[in-house]
């Protein structure tokens, strides 16, 4: 990064944006922080807590003078927020986001800015079922993976600037195409989210006696189902082709299990479960 | 309980049995503890740690003199262990177990003992993906729900003795029929287990790049899939009718989600997710 003071604009001070502000204050205290939010009370709180140097409900005004802009709004509000900010984005300003879906989003956003190659999509994978500034934490990004999705249009300097930024708040980074990201995100996040919600739905019409039997395993398995329905509906719709494909694969695997259970084929069930346990060990060695 | 010293026999010093021994030593130090295990080294370790007053690899010998016997072996070993212990079980001895499936198990076990009404099935719901004595903890049962499944054959005094026992190690208790237990256990535990394993299976053939994207949500959702394949295959087979029914319900709910995603029906998806979130709040208010 240059010797000059960084001037960073954050759009949306929720869990993701608020945590970014806290991390930046802690790790790069000299950075000038500009914040756009919809609610003046939230902005007043940020200034009161020393988490912002300048705040406004006018997105273009916040964008003005920034050399890096980070869109931290839910995926369904990205386009509107980017449009509102665009008039203030300088040609040299690098723009990125935190959206959970990248494909169409990236294509649409690239077109909005003065230099399309200065937008580079990002997805820091540290969201949770919590949301809002109240849930924000300075260490949210520490050791989280941030997937960066440059395209053929992206300027290499912008990709590098974005990557350096995420590293500066503690992330590990990986580069993927938007399409590869969305396919993978469906399998590691969007389909598991639907599965968790579906498992809870099975209990909706059950007795309190049955519900009382839910123990730690059920709580963990379904934790993500406590996330915002609006945010997740937007994510699932934005990534609908891959989500649908992933749900079809899940149904097929569940059918294999069902057939083995129906056939009372204990060896086959043991093999399926052992395979899954091995795969999980390889994927998440520390849990 | 009587003024006499309790004489309790524990069969199988794994996670469940080992934790029972630790809890009993802590909460009822005067109780005489007899332990059956398959491996002499495990029994030697128990005596070394002061967790047993008498140990043997002969189940009938361990049963002899006990006024309460608790079968803490995996569901597929319950019958064999009970058969081996039966010759030593006194007519007045109350027998219970920790098996995750109750229906057929209870019917089969009742017939084995001198007084069938003195067997009362139990299922303390505090298992985890861990197993073995190394994972045992004195507080495993604290505040866990133990479902007790008396039948028409059960003697009320035996049911009460069993209930008092589980309370003495910290459990809350509920009574259900074996059939109601198995139906509920399929929905809160057995079907979620299969779903977790299926979600992991989706990643088996994926790239390391995709696997690297698994974050906290994925880890929690699939944690139970790290449980013992052999134990869980036995559970799923023992409870196959209810597991199959539950898996069919799950497929139907997943199909509703899939249809809504395919139709890009964001309102419908939001409604389905909101319903699940509300249900989860009602079921697990503290998580």
């Amino acid at each position: 990064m240059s010797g000059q003071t960084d001037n960073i604009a954050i759009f949306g001070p929720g869990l993701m944006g608020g945590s970014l502000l806290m991390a930046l204050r802690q790790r790069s205290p000299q950075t000038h922080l500009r914040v756009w939010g919809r609610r003046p009370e939230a902005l007043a709180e940020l200034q009161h807590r020393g988490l912002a140097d300048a705040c406004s409900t006018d997105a273009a005004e916040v964008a003005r003078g920034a050399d890096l802009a980070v869109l931290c709004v839910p995926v369904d509000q990205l386009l509107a927020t980017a449009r509102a900010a665009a008039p203030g984005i300088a040609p040299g300003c690098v723009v990125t986001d935190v959206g959970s879906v990248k494909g169409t989003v990236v294509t649409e956003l690239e077109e909005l800015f003065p230099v399309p190659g200065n937008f580079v999509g990002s997805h820091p994978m540290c969201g949770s079922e919590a949301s809002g500034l109240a849930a924000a934490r300075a260490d949210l990004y520490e050791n989280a993976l941030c997937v960066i999705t440059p395209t053929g249009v992206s300027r290499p300097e912008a990709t590098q600037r974005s990557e350096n930024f995420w590293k500066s708040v503690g992330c590990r980074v990986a580069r993927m195409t938007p399409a590869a990201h969305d396919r993978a995100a469906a399998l590691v996040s969007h389909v598991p989210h639907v599965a968790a919600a579906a498992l809870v739905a099975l209990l909706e019409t059950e007795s309190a006696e049955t519900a009382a039997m839910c123990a730690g395993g059920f709580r963990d398995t379904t934790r993500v189902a406590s996330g915002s329905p609006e945010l997740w509906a937007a994510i699932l719709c934005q990534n609908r082709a891959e989500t649908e494909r992933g749900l079809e694969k899940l149904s097929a695997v569940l059918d294999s299990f069902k057939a083995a259970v129906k056939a009372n084929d204990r060896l086959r069930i043991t093999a399926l479960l052992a395979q899954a346990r091995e795969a999980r060990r390889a994927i998440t060695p520390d849990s």
Side-chain angles (χ1 to χ4, degrees), chain A:
Chain A
M1 287 180 231
S2 71
Q4 282 180 281
T5 303
D6 287 326
N7 198 320
I8 298 182
I10 301 290
F11 295 82
L15 170 67
M16 304 302 279
S19 296
L20 266 187
L21 292 169
M22 292 163 79
L24 288 165
R25 266 294 183 258
Q26 208 167 76
R27 292 164 164 260
S28 319
Q30 77 296 348
T31 300
H32 185 79
L33 297 175
R34 310 170 64 79
V35 185
W36 170 86
R38 202 186 310 274
R39 295 185 312 113
E41 316 85 72
L43 299 177
E45 185 189 336
L46 288 176
Q47 290 201 296
H48 179 73
R49 291 171 60 182
L51 290 173
D53 299 301
C55 286
S56 172
T57 55
D58 178 331
E61 189 184 318
V62 169
R64 220 156 275 141
D67 46 60
L68 178 73
V70 190
L71 305 168
C72 302
V73 295
V75 280
D76 57 326
Q77 290 159 40
L78 270 175
L79 204 57
T81 308
R83 277 204 184 104
I89 297 283
C93 179
V94 169
V95 185
T96 189
D97 72 313
V98 302
S100 307
V101 185
K102 301 267 66 97
T104 50
V105 177
V106 168
T107 314
E108 289 171 341
L109 291 182
E110 275 174 339
E111 292 168 359
L112 287 179
F113 303 109
V115 178
N118 274 342
F119 173 80
V120 181
S122 306
H123 179 201
M125 305 207 55
C126 51
S128 84
E129 75 284 6
S131 64
L133 183 56
R137 320 191 315 249
D139 64 354
L140 185 70
Y141 294 92
E142 263 169 42
N143 211 34
L145 181 76
C146 182
V147 178
I148 298 178
T149 60
T151 67
V153 168
S154 310
R155 290 180 61 233
E157 299 82 353
T159 303
Q160 194 58 55
R161 174 74 173 95
S162 181
E163 189 166 312
N164 291 344
F165 170 72
W166 291 111
K167 284 182 178 166
S168 80
V169 292
C171 286
R172 296 170 291 124
V173 299
R175 294 187 189 184
M176 295 172 86
T177 64
H181 167 276
D182 286 359
R183 183 168 175 279
L187 296 178
V188 305
S189 172
H190 308 165
V191 168
H193 193 95
V194 172
L199 288 169
V200 178
L202 293 188
L203 295 180
E204 269 167 24
T205 53
E206 294 297 317
S207 65
E209 196 179 36
T210 299
M213 282 173 64
C214 291
F218 184 87
R219 261 200 292 275
D220 282 352
T221 308
T222 63
R223 184 178 62 77
V224 296
S226 287
S228 157
E230 293 76 18
L231 172 63
W232 279 93
I235 291 172
L236 297 174
C237 282
Q238 287 273 5
N239 199 23
R240 65 181 168 280
E242 293 297 350
T243 300
E244 204 191 321
R245 211 163 295 155
L247 285 173
E248 261 152 32
K249 280 187 199 169
L250 178 63
S251 291
V253 178
L254 287 171
D255 284 346
S256 314
F257 271 101
K258 202 159 53 187
V261 168
K262 189 171 190 157
N264 199 17
D265 188 345
R266 204 164 124 187
L267 287 181
R268 171 86 180 125
I269 302 173
T270 306
L272 288 169
L273 293 175
Q275 236 175 303
R277 180 166 73 166
E278 280 320 299
R280 189 170 187 277
R281 266 192 196 144
I283 293 164
T284 62
D286 52 341
S287 70

